[in-house]
Amino acid sequence: MPDNYQAILHSAMTAAQAGGHVLQRYWHDGIELRDKSEFGGKTYDLVSDADLESQEVIARSIANDYPDHELLGEEDLTGDITAEHLWVIDPLDGTNNFAHHIGHFAVSIGYFVDGVPTVGVVHNPISGDTYTATRGGGAFRNSQPIRVTNADHLSKSMVGCGFYYDRGDMMRSTLAAIEEFFSHDIHGIRRFGTAALDLCAVASGQFGAFFEYKLSPWDFAAGQLIVREAGGIVTNAKGDPLGLTQSSVLAASTAIHPHALAITKKHHP
Ligand code: IPD
Ligand code: CA
Ligand code: CA
């Protein structure tokens, strides 16, 4: 692995810790929520000063180390996705959990070289867990190597899922897929509320598979590399390669991916 990936990883971890400190402060002091986008006149997509300030300190930290690199982030950070060096940032993945005082959320930072996922960091400031990966260098939780599950079939798996904010067709497709997963005798379904950590749950063998029918690049930028480096497969939920635009996502161990794909593809909205 080129040395500079280590330098980039160090930079990404420093930035993620800085964002995490901001989130910890707001977690203790409280936040004021605002609605972010509308779905049929109703609002479920929230944003707070915690999201904005976390992104600000992360962006400052990365720009300080790499002033020429492009930054793409959820809170209106509009980096060029075709750039040679691109950082993709979710300053708070799991805002809804945060808003309801559920201590399961994360900072997610992915670094791409010419569109290729190269470094990923997902940091949960409440548990203190930090998941990392570099391309070709393996995946780790708190510096300990992690691997996807050894289970070779859905019937031995826990499956994670997520719901996009839409409560229409996409929600119904997700529910239909969940029902079909249950018909394969899975051990259970979990919806933890942060896609970045859901992907890390696949990487560390807790989930046999995870799917969601619509995610943004900052949700999966880091987690996709962490899963692959832990020996898993990540595609969209139809089995195609993931890009840097909004997409469905399916992550699973190599053995489980084809079985999960048959279900997520069938119900894909
Ligand atoms: C959300 C979380 C959630 C997923 C949503 C995402 P946010 O990100 O990852 O688990 O189901 O689709 O938008 O809005 O909390 O950063
Ligand atoms: Ca997110
Ligand atoms: Ca977010």
Side-chain angles (χ1 to χ4, degrees), residues 203-220:
S204 51
Q206 296 167 319
F207 289 163
F210 162 75
F211 78 101
E212 183 158 349
Y213 281 132
K214 188 169 175 182
L215 285 170
S216 296
W218 37 82
D219 297 316
F220 57 79

Side-chain angles (χ1 to χ4, degrees), residues 36 51 74-75 90-95 218-219:
K36 189 166 165 181
D51 302 63
E74 178 166 16
E75 310 310 336
D90 193 337
L92 169 47
D93 187 48
T95 300
W218 37 82
D219 297 316

Side-chain angles (χ1 to χ4, degrees), residues 79-117:
D80 173 9
I81 62 166
T82 64
E84 184 186 354
H85 300 282
L86 174 71
W87 296 72
V88 182
I89 301 158
D90 193 337
L92 169 47
D93 187 48
T95 300
N96 234 319
N97 280 351
F98 193 98
H100 294 278
H101 231 73
I102 298 166
H104 191 70
F105 49 84
V107 172
S108 172
I109 302 177
Y111 165 77
F112 294 74
V113 177
D114 288 323
V116 178

Side-chain angles (χ1 to χ4, degrees), residues 132-134 136-140 145-151 199-205 207-208 223-234 250-258:
T132 58
T134 50
F140 302 85
I146 50 174
R147 287 298 290 174
V148 295
T149 180
N150 289 328
L199 289 165
C200 294
V202 174
S204 51
F207 289 163
Q224 63 170 327
L225 181 67
I226 295 170
V227 172
R228 289 194 191 111
E229 289 295 328
I233 296 181
V234 188
L250 171 63
S253 69
T254 311
I256 290 172
H257 190 276

Side-chain angles (χ1 to χ4, degrees), residues 121-251:
V121 172
V122 175
H123 172 60
N124 176 342
I126 299 299
S127 69
D129 284 335
T130 304
Y131 297 84
T132 58
T134 50
R135 187 155 59 91
F140 302 85
R141 178 179 52 227
N142 305 330
S143 306
Q144 298 301 309
I146 50 174
R147 287 298 290 174
V148 295
T149 180
N150 289 328
D152 56 0
H153 205 266
L154 276 174
S155 66
K156 296 173 186 154
S157 303
M158 180 68 80
V159 174
C161 68
F163 288 84
Y164 184 61
Y165 294 104
D166 162 79
R167 306 278 161 99
D169 284 349
M170 199 165 316
M171 182 195 70
R172 282 185 282 278
S173 300
T174 307
L175 292 172
I178 288 172
E179 190 169 1
E180 190 161 344
F181 271 109
F182 274 122
S183 77
H184 287 256
D185 297 329
I186 56 168
H187 286 178
I189 282 275
R190 295 291 181 270
R191 194 294 193 243
F192 285 162
T194 145
L197 286 172
D198 289 331
L199 289 165
C200 294
V202 174
S204 51
Q206 296 167 319
F207 289 163
F210 162 75
F211 78 101
E212 183 158 349
Y213 281 132
K214 188 169 175 182
L215 285 170
S216 296
W218 37 82
D219 297 316
F220 57 79
Q224 63 170 327
L225 181 67
I226 295 170
V227 172
R228 289 194 191 111
E229 289 295 328
I233 296 181
V234 188
T235 59
N236 74 12
K238 288 178 178 167
D240 305 319
L242 280 184
L244 269 168
T245 52
Q246 283 197 321
S247 175
S248 62
V249 171
L250 171 63

